[in-house]
Amino acid sequence: DRSMIDRSPGGERPRVGGDGADGVVRRSHAAAIPSGEEATTGTPAPPRSSAGAADSSGRLARAGALVLLVMQMVGLVMLMRYTRTQHPAGAAGSLYLASTAVLAMEAMKLAICLAMVARDAGGTAKGLADQLRTHVVASPGEVLRLSVPSLLYTVQNNLLYLALTNLDAATYQVCYQLKILTTAVFSALMLGRRFSTRKWAAIVLLTLGVIVVQLSGSGDSRGASVAAAAASTEDEDRTARERLVGLAAVLCAACTSGFSGVYFEKILKGS
């Protein structure tokens, strides 16, 4: 390298300092010194490509969970409505009991929860028994507090079956969104949470939308009934009663949903 050669009258010899031997030593010493996260933790810093991949997979998992939640909510309502209304003519007695469906659902959830607890406890019956003894038998106060939302959720599920028996799926879905209003009210009362004026305006707008949908549905059913049989006052009254029962059930379900959610949040914050 011409920059490392000292052209003197006595001949060509390497320069001392600069980019010569000392410079090579300094560069090798600097390369051996760790920097950043490797210097502070003693472990090599993860490559940026792996961090970006992890972030991308996290966003994909959240999006997938959201899609599955929407599919679960819509599919559940459609199936519940179908099973409560579609049965052979003249076989009204074959309609299943809502309480039986709720009991079967709760039993399935209990089995899934026990399986998950057993897996976390090492997958043995002894580990599962120890967990139940520690968190259930030895904690009666916690069990008593958690029994309140559990009972309310059971009542809520029965009310939802009653509502879907007497309301169509679209009306039920819109009216059940009143749980947003009840959750906000119970949050303000029980947790002292404050909402902005814009949020309260949005909640009031949602309530007005539910009222409009309910009034529109009542008018449509009344008009269809008159068009089908002008003299069938009994059928019209029965339809009105069914809608009233369904509306009362969905309103009670919205109240129990809001109170249960806020009460459970209060328990978690106090524990």
Side-chain angles (χ1 to χ4, degrees), residues 66-136:
L66 178 61
V67 171
L68 291 177
L69 180 62
V70 172
M71 293 177 60
Q72 185 261 341
M73 293 300 298
V74 175
L76 177 64
V77 172
M78 298 298 292
L79 287 176
M80 289 173 63
R81 172 64 180 174
Y82 179 81
T83 57
R84 295 300 292 176
T85 57
Q86 300 296 324
H87 52 272
S94 62
L95 185 65
Y96 64 89
L97 295 175
S99 57
T100 304
V102 173
L103 178 61
M105 180 172 59
E106 296 299 328
M108 293 176 62
K109 290 193 292 185
L110 176 61
I112 294 174
C113 291
L114 290 177
M116 296 180 64
V117 172
R119 185 197 62 180
D120 295 339
T124 61
K126 183 179 182 302
L128 176 60
D130 292 339
Q131 291 291 328
L132 294 178
R133 188 181 305 108
T134 302
H135 299 287
V136 178

Side-chain angles (χ1 to χ4, degrees), residues 25-41:
V25 173
R26 285 196 297 269
R27 286 196 299 271
S28 62
H29 180 66
I33 298 177
S35 60
E37 182 179 351
E38 184 177 357
T40 57
T41 63

Side-chain angles (χ1 to χ4, degrees), residues 50-62:
S50 62
D55 186 45
S56 177
S57 62
R59 289 197 299 267
L60 183 61
R62 289 192 293 270

Side-chain angles (χ1 to χ4, degrees), residues 2 10 17 24 31-32 40 53 58 68 79 94 101 116 120 128 147 150 167 171 173 183 188 192 195 199 243 261 270:
R2 298 181 63 87
V24 174
T40 57
L68 291 177
L79 287 176
S94 62
M116 296 180 64
D120 295 339
L128 176 60
S147 63
S150 301
L167 294 175
T171 304
Q173 281 282 41
T183 302
F195 299 96
K199 291 182 179 180
R243 291 188 64 86

